[in-house]
Amino acid sequence: MATIQIGADHAGFELKEKIKFYLQNEFNEVADHGTFASDSVDYPDYAHPTAEAVEKENGVGILICGSANGVCIAANKHQGIRAALCWNVEVAKLARQHNNANILCIPARFVSDEMAIQMVEAFLNTAFEGGRHQQRVSKISIQ
């Protein structure tokens, strides 16, 4: 598996650190795009570099903020990104299977640490089904 890109704002900082620790012990390399403290910051400053790295490497990423809405909106401004806001394992799996999502967005204020890790596992271990879903995914980007 390629390097996993990760980023968070201040509300997601603690959860990012826990997920990063898990990933470093279970998977390949992790590229941390910040933030590196719990001081208040602007989520686009971390969502954009994470999304750019996912695009560049044609890989996957994880973004975390309080509701996950901000990072998800910012990441989805990038042409090659399909960021999905997920709150349980089933939604994380479906984001990969049906939408070929390449960034998992986690709402730190609304999921437990355990649920977040389970979602990360599901997201990283689920493949895109293609087939009828490929036609739909192909219609997402606007040139």
Side-chain angles (χ1 to χ4, degrees):
M1 182 175 286
T3 300
I4 299 166
Q5 310 298 324
I6 193 167
D9 72 356
H10 56 281
F13 169 71
E14 287 184 24
L15 183 56
K16 176 184 68 86
E17 292 300 304
K18 292 174 183 175
I19 292 171
K20 184 172 73 172
F21 179 79
Y22 163 77
L23 290 170
Q24 289 171 331
N25 287 311
E26 297 294 325
F27 292 95
N28 284 2
E29 296 181 30
V30 178
D32 187 346
H33 299 277
T35 190
F36 301 102
S38 58
D39 300 328
S40 184
V41 295
D42 299 332
Y43 58 83
D45 294 340
Y46 306 95
H48 289 305
T50 304
E52 288 168 3
V54 169
E55 280 183 307
K56 181 180 178 185
E57 293 190 11
N58 195 26
V60 295
I62 301 163
L63 285 168
I64 309 154
C65 72
S67 70
N69 279 306
V71 292
C72 192
I73 292 167
N76 277 318
K77 296 297 180 186
H78 295 259
Q79 189 68 24
I81 296 300
R82 291 170 307 283
L85 195 162
C86 300
W87 55 92
N88 66 36
V89 171
E90 184 177 2
V91 174
K93 284 182 180 180
L94 287 171
R96 292 286 297 140
Q97 288 175 330
H98 293 187
N99 308 115
N100 200 16
N102 53 9
I103 295 183
L104 170 65
C105 299
I106 302 173
R109 293 184 177 140
F110 298 94
V111 300
S112 68
D113 295 351
E114 295 78 20
M115 176 59 69
I117 296 294
Q118 290 172 8
M119 289 190 306
V120 167
E121 288 175 344
F123 189 81
L124 295 176
N125 291 312
T126 301
F128 178 49
E129 288 182 355
R132 71 184 192 277
H133 303 293
Q134 181 58 58
Q135 178 180 340
R136 297 167 185 159
V137 169
S138 297
K139 292 180 178 183
I140 292 172
S141 293
I142 296 173
Q143 301 298 324

